[in-house]
Amino acid sequence: MCELFGYQGATRNLTAPLAEFFSHSTDHPDGWGLATRQHGAVSAEKEFAQASRSSYLLRRLSAGVTTDLALGHIRKATVGIRTRENCHPFTGTDCTGRQWTLIHNGTMFDAPELEPFRATQIGNTDSERVLLCLLDRINRATAEAGRPLTATERFAVIDRAVCSLSANNNKLNLLLFDGQLLFAHSNYEGTLHTCTTPEGTLFSTRPLAAAQEAAGENAVDLTWEPLPFCQLTAFANGRLALTGTDHGNVSVPAPELLAKLKATTVAVAC
């Protein structure tokens, strides 16, 4: 599976936890990506290369990564081709001009709602189709309201979508940023954790020791805990702001479904 990293909060140096996170790429060699925010705008970088072997990423980390928002991804493709277009993060803009950024860990075994977006996506991952589907739902809700949606209204739209998309054993571990809220969701037990620091909140598939080291004098009682399970959450300024529906759509290992997917489709998981 892929691995996810996230941070939202006060501006801080994330170089140490990011370096540890990207070191996991020996097990996830099919590409890396990093989105950060500077002066209010999110920019995404990604490369079809193993992160630990990327000279560009080494230079990027050596220069230091200081930001108030970061989304990192290392990819292990489970189905299909390996290209830069299929690396995360994926970005898009809704009808109001709001930028959305998504990273995903999982396989969508049975999600008919995603099928219409095969024709418009740039790559061919189900992860990219998830973002396009979410943007479509936001756009339709905006048109119905006749005005830009509030943060609470955007959360309600994403919550309904997550409840639907996580059915049928679909694994929907994701971090999604809309310029204000950082949405987080996991329905595969033990595969997304959070760590609350004095500056904000960190997210990682696997707990990172470097989060403690980087905190220095503020390192008292920093612990990693599992993200709330099968329930969308949203963070604002690094603190939990909204909690969604407890949908109960648990994803479990399904090697037979994965084998069937590989044999019958050219779709790319994660």
Side-chain angles (χ1 to χ4, degrees):
M1 66 177 183
C2 305
E3 289 196 18
L4 310 179
F5 172 90
Y7 172 76
Q8 187 194 42
T11 299
R12 61 165 289 186
N13 189 324
L14 297 172
T15 307
L18 278 170
E20 181 181 349
F21 169 74
F22 284 122
S23 74
H24 299 168
S25 63
T26 52
D27 298 322
H28 305 79
D30 300 319
W32 66 270
L34 175 64
T36 57
R37 184 165 68 167
Q38 302 293 336
H39 309 295
V42 175
S43 60
E45 306 164 272
K46 54 187 178 180
E47 185 180 20
F48 171 48
Q50 182 175 314
S52 59
R53 296 181 177 179
S54 169
S55 57
Y56 173 81
L57 181 58
L58 177 61
R59 292 194 301 272
R60 182 79 170 83
L61 294 175
S62 296
V65 179
T66 300
T67 182
D68 66 351
L69 182 284
L71 297 175
H73 189 274
I74 46 178
R75 181 171 183 246
K76 182 176 182 180
T78 52
V79 180
I81 61 175
R82 296 157 171 80
T83 65
R84 182 184 183 279
E85 289 76 18
N86 289 332
C87 295
H88 307 222
F90 296 103
T91 61
T93 304
D94 67 24
C95 61
T96 70
R98 179 178 293 276
Q99 184 184 19
W100 296 70
T101 307
L102 174 138
I103 54 176
H104 171 228
N105 163 27
T107 302
M108 307 298 286
F109 294 110
D110 183 6
E113 297 166 78
L114 302 184
E115 290 307 303
F117 303 101
R118 287 184 184 273
T120 56
Q121 67 182 140
I122 296 172
N124 57 0
T125 64
D126 53 12
S127 303
E128 183 183 5
R129 292 195 292 277
V130 168
L131 177 62
L132 294 174
C133 178
L134 296 179
L135 287 174
D136 180 68
R137 285 194 175 218
I138 289 290
N139 288 340
R140 284 189 281 129
T142 302
E144 184 176 342
R147 55 168 173 76
L149 302 178
T150 65
T152 303
E153 290 169 334
R154 295 195 306 276
F155 181 83
V157 172
I158 302 303
D159 185 47
R160 289 192 295 270
V162 163
C163 289
S164 176
L165 290 171
S166 60
N168 303 323
N169 203 37
N170 293 326
K171 182 182 177 184
L172 194 65
N173 284 6
L174 61 80
L175 294 174
L176 172 71
F177 183 62
D178 72 356
Q180 180 183 4
L181 296 177
L182 179 59
F183 302 83
H185 178 263
S186 174
N187 66 331
Y188 193 100
E189 193 168 7
T191 55
L192 193 55
H193 298 81
T194 65
C195 176
T196 301
T197 76
E199 297 84 8
T201 301
L202 288 156
F203 305 81
S204 183
T205 298
R206 288 189 268 175
L208 302 171
Q212 189 88 5
E213 298 168 7
E217 294 180 357
N218 296 323
V220 178
D221 295 331
L222 290 193
T223 58
W224 286 92
E225 299 178 348
L227 187 76
F229 193 49
C230 291
Q231 190 171 35
L232 182 69
T233 54
F235 294 74
N237 300 315
R239 297 292 179 244
L240 181 64
L242 296 164
T243 302
T245 306
D246 186 355
H247 55 69
N249 295 329
V250 178
S251 179
V252 297
E256 70 288 351
L257 291 178
L258 185 57
K260 181 179 179 180
L261 186 65
K262 288 181 178 180
T264 60
T265 181
V266 294
V268 180
C270 192

